[in-house]
Amino acid sequence: MGFPSARPRRLRRTPALRRLVAETRLHPADLVLPVFVREGIDTPVAISAMPGVVQHTLDSLVDEARRCVAAGLGGIMVFGVPQAKDARGSGADAPDGILNVALSRLVEEVGDDLVVMADLCLDEFTDHGHCGVLAADGSVDNDATLERYASMALAQAGTGAAVLGLSGMMDGQVGFVRSALDAAGYPDTVILAYAAKYTSGLYGPFREAVQSSLVGDRATYQQDPANGTEALRELELDIAEGADIVMVKPAGPHLDVIAAAAAMSPVPVAAYQISGEYAQVEAAAERGWVDRDRVMLESLVNIRRAGAQVVLTYYALEAATRL
Ligand code: PBG
């Protein structure tokens, strides 16, 4: 053999050639911005572990949503931070609870131009910080939690939110909430199921963002990062129960699971680049150790390439303006 005639480098020679043959593109419409809205504040509050991300007031949230519309984003995922928390997460399904109030405002202001999504989980609303209600022995009570989720779903659907993001990882949550929505006259409310959600230390900054009082972890309900096959079971169950979109989370550490989901799922696959993934990039960039914009776009393209059609990321607005 002499010098090669097959030369893959040919197609990498110029930016124009590379652009022509790129297999994956990021588009603003594929991106969803997660946002936090906090009750009882009149100016936005910075989240120290997530530079550039804030807890919004209702008004600043609407401004942010308008920026999402202007940038052509696909959607906005809303998390509520209530002033008072209790054991059953009463603020979650209260019609005047901060999340439901915020959803109504957003639906009214931007609902025609942006998909308004609601986080459906109790952890932001419980004083113990778990995603469900607790049994007498302190464990998270799966079936009692389903009743709370159903009530929350009706409150959220009542705001007109287009998509409910079921992030609690209780068994049967998708089917239970689907039945409740259908019975109450909300057959068109979309369920985005956090189907393969792994327990992770990378949720740390989110705990600050929602002022969580959680002690310990969520290992009895979120998946063990050691398991891949188990994710397929979770995905299959959620799809069978009626999930309209399935999600893998965190995203970057689980590209293999995203790829497996994309290969088997008949419904769209989403992935969530979580708070700690964001914080890692920010921290390294702050030290000058990595090029922030480059790593930001690279991380998102990798998640898309693995097979996620929709990407939730705190970089959504910024990334959209750089595409
Ligand atoms: C549950 C929920 C969490 C996140 C999204 N939905 C917290 C958790 O599971 O511990 C984390 C998102 C992030 O870290 O960016 N309500």
Side-chain angles (χ1 to χ4, degrees):
M1 282 235 316
F3 293 118
S5 64
R7 293 180 184 271
R9 285 185 58 191
R10 253 178 230 134
L11 290 176
R12 300 177 195 140
R13 194 172 53 82
T14 68
L17 277 167
R18 291 195 294 272
R19 189 165 61 115
L20 177 73
V21 300
E23 294 175 39
T24 308
R25 291 176 213 285
L26 286 174
H27 190 281
D30 301 323
L31 303 177
V32 174
L33 182 71
V35 290
F36 304 97
V37 58
R38 177 170 163 189
E39 191 171 30
I41 54 171
D42 44 29
T43 47
V45 176
I47 300 163
S48 65
M50 301 176 76
V53 180
V54 301
Q55 295 172 321
H56 282 287
T57 67
L58 282 168
D59 288 337
S60 74
L61 176 68
V62 172
D63 292 342
E64 185 83 334
R66 290 195 198 291
R67 284 190 283 274
C68 293
V69 173
L73 293 194
I76 189 167
M77 171 64 82
V78 191
F79 295 89
V81 186
Q83 222 160 7
K85 308 192 183 206
D86 61 21
R88 58 191 295 280
S90 303
D93 52 339
D96 62 350
I98 183 64
L99 178 55
N100 296 319
V101 170
L103 291 168
S104 297
R105 271 287 296 275
L106 289 178
V107 168
E108 187 186 313
E109 309 265 2
V110 299
D112 292 338
D113 305 311
L114 193 64
V115 179
V116 175
M117 306 183 175
D119 182 56
L120 199 164
C121 191
L122 284 175
D123 67 307
E124 295 95 2
F125 299 94
T126 52
D127 53 11
H128 46 71
H130 275 294
C131 293
V133 292
L134 304 183
D137 65 0
S139 64
V140 176
D141 185 335
N142 194 88
D143 298 3
T145 299
L146 295 183
E147 306 270 11
R148 297 290 298 126
Y149 286 178
S151 175
M152 213 178 158
L154 299 192
Q156 294 180 343
T159 71
V163 176
L164 309 188
L166 277 61
S167 64
M169 288 298 282
M170 293 302 120
D171 291 337
Q173 62 184 13
V174 172
F176 201 83
V177 165
R178 182 74 269 162
S179 304
L181 288 169
D182 292 349
Y186 297 111
D188 293 330
T189 302
V190 172
I191 291 182
L192 183 166
Y194 289 57
K197 179 171 179 179
Y198 286 90
T199 188
S200 175
L202 292 170
Y203 296 127
F206 180 92
R207 302 272 145 82
E208 181 197 343
V210 302
Q211 296 166 278
S212 172
S213 40
L214 181 71
V215 179
D217 59 38
R218 308 195 193 288
T220 69
Y221 41 106
Q222 297 180 344
Q223 282 186 250
D224 182 342
N227 298 348
T229 306
E230 186 186 24
L232 297 177
R233 182 164 190 231
E234 288 282 4
L235 287 155
E236 277 163 10
L237 283 168
D238 282 3
I239 291 164
E241 289 174 31
D244 300 290
I245 304 173
V246 288
M247 186 144 78
V248 175
K249 174 187 178 182
H254 303 290
L255 296 181
D256 59 327
V257 179
I258 295 174
M264 62 72 80
S265 177
V267 301
V269 174
Y272 194 146
Q273 183 180 54
I274 66 166
S275 58
E277 297 180 77
Y278 176 88
Q280 287 177 324
V281 176
E282 291 299 309
E286 199 179 284
R287 296 187 161 203
W289 289 355
V290 300
D291 176 337
R292 178 176 180 279
D293 287 6
R294 184 173 170 182
V295 174
M296 164 178 76
L297 292 176
E298 184 179 321
S299 66
L300 296 175
V301 118
N302 292 346
I303 293 164
R304 287 273 293 121
R305 190 202 64 227
Q309 203 173 322
V310 175
V311 183
L312 277 72
T313 170
Y314 299 97
Y315 284 125
L317 263 179
E318 253 196 285
T321 61
R322 277 169 179 65
L323 296 177

